[in-house]
Amino acid sequence: MRRLPSLNGLRAFEAAARHGSFVGAAAELNVTQAAVSRMVRLLEERFGFQLFERRANGLDLTPQGKALQPGLTSAFDAIAGIAEQVTAMRTTPVLTLGVGPSFAVRWLIPRLRGFYEQHPEIDVRLSTGGAINPFRDDWTCGILLGDGNWAGYESELLFTTDLFPVCSKAVAARLTSPSKLTRQDMLQVSHSPEDWSLWLAAAGVKPRGKVHGPSFGNYAMALQAAVDGIGVAIGLRPYVEDDMARGRLVAPFSITIPKKRAWYLVYRPFRRDDPGLAVLRAWLLESLGSKPTSA
């Protein structure tokens, strides 16, 4: 059976020895200076000798104090390191998901509560991915828009999508035909400048020159601008499903065109059997009707 001196006294002494004062030790240990002084005094009484020479401008270690302090510092550092290792040993799966900001805001986050309710044991961490950010190897997986071909990765089709204009009801009331669209109406997404040209061609509208209009950094921003009545955005399912269901957005025209890219669940082959990935895959397929879907 170990017979140890007071651990609080040892901590107080070690901190005071490093700082050279009871004041510094008190600040580190979040106690009063008097408490540190008392704990060190009790430790000295336990040992039967002084550990410090008290001076007006600070503390000096006695020979016994100099012998004790290095070993204590090493021991406390080792304890702190072990505690960090144990803390890092999680008993629940950790899922780090790389996802584009538009997909996260417009589809994933509104549904995360349902995921948490079904799988409270999963520690979910969202990281920014998408069109302009590369896949990171510290992610468990990602949900990316593309053609399904990413060298060195496995991909599983989640759903395809189509494009069509969306806007507020007030804006839609004055759009009797696609030819009524003006450059001021057409909200652009900077990383998908082809969307409007593709849709206008399908609608039989030939713009005079290159399509221009207010530009936004991602679909989420452009769609929010459409909700606020600034103009007409190109909508992608599933980005617009919730707003259309609630009447915040409407489709002023019936013409839709397929987007030649789809959403995929993407991961490194060595992650294939990751428990967090397995849970996410099952939840996604359930949310999408148990099979890859076309919007």
Side-chain angles (χ1 to χ4, degrees), residues 23-267:
V23 174
E28 177 180 319
L29 300 176
N30 197 28
V31 297
T32 65
Q33 178 182 348
V36 173
S37 178
R38 181 176 60 83
M39 287 187 285
V40 171
R41 178 172 52 78
L42 291 173
L43 184 65
E44 290 175 325
E45 291 177 359
R46 165 73 171 76
F47 281 139
F49 47 75
Q50 283 190 305
L51 297 170
F52 291 114
E53 295 287 348
R54 278 77 166 168
R55 305 191 184 283
N57 61 347
L59 301 170
D60 289 333
L61 287 166
T62 65
Q64 293 91 337
K66 289 179 181 178
L68 180 62
Q69 187 262 327
L72 275 183
T73 298
S74 296
F76 283 132
D77 286 345
I79 292 170
I82 293 170
E84 289 179 1
Q85 291 177 26
V86 172
T87 300
M89 295 171 62
R90 298 180 179 271
T91 58
T92 59
V94 177
L95 172 67
T96 302
L97 174 61
V99 62
S102 294
F103 187 88
V105 171
R106 305 293 302 186
W107 191 85
L108 180 62
I109 291 175
R111 291 161 176 79
L112 270 184
R113 181 177 177 180
F115 179 86
Y116 291 141
E117 289 175 349
Q118 293 181 40
H119 304 287
E121 77 283 4
I122 304 294
D123 181 4
V124 179
R125 302 174 184 177
L126 295 185
S127 185
T128 302
I132 59 176
N133 295 294
F135 195 99
R136 288 173 41 181
D137 283 339
D138 62 330
W139 295 351
T140 306
C141 57
I143 297 177
L144 303 181
L145 182 64
D147 61 6
N149 296 312
W150 288 274
Y153 296 87
E154 294 192 11
S155 63
E156 300 178 20
L157 177 66
L158 295 177
F159 49 86
T160 58
T161 190
D162 50 11
L163 303 173
F164 54 96
V166 293
C167 59
S168 67
K169 291 180 180 178
V171 172
R174 59 179 171 79
L175 295 175
T176 56
S177 70
S179 62
K180 297 295 184 180
L181 287 164
T182 68
R183 292 185 177 185
Q184 288 72 34
D185 291 325
M186 293 184 284
L187 307 180
Q188 310 284 315
V189 177
S190 59
H191 63 76
S192 293
E194 73 284 357
D195 286 352
W196 270 114
S197 296
L198 292 172
W199 187 87
L200 289 171
V205 177
K206 294 183 179 180
R208 297 178 180 177
K210 189 176 180 180
V211 176
H212 294 284
S215 183
F216 299 87
N218 56 50
Y219 284 106
M221 295 167 65
L223 291 169
Q224 185 59 51
V227 169
D228 292 334
I230 294 174
V232 185
I234 287 289
L236 281 78
R237 299 188 195 275
Y239 289 174
V240 297
E241 289 178 343
D242 293 342
D243 279 329
M244 293 186 72
R246 292 170 173 79
R248 292 191 293 260
L249 288 174
V250 298
F253 314 112
S254 60
I255 301 167
T256 66
I257 62 171
K259 192 171 180 67
K260 295 180 180 180
R261 294 180 293 167
W263 272 274
Y264 291 84
L265 182 65
V266 181
Y267 51 88

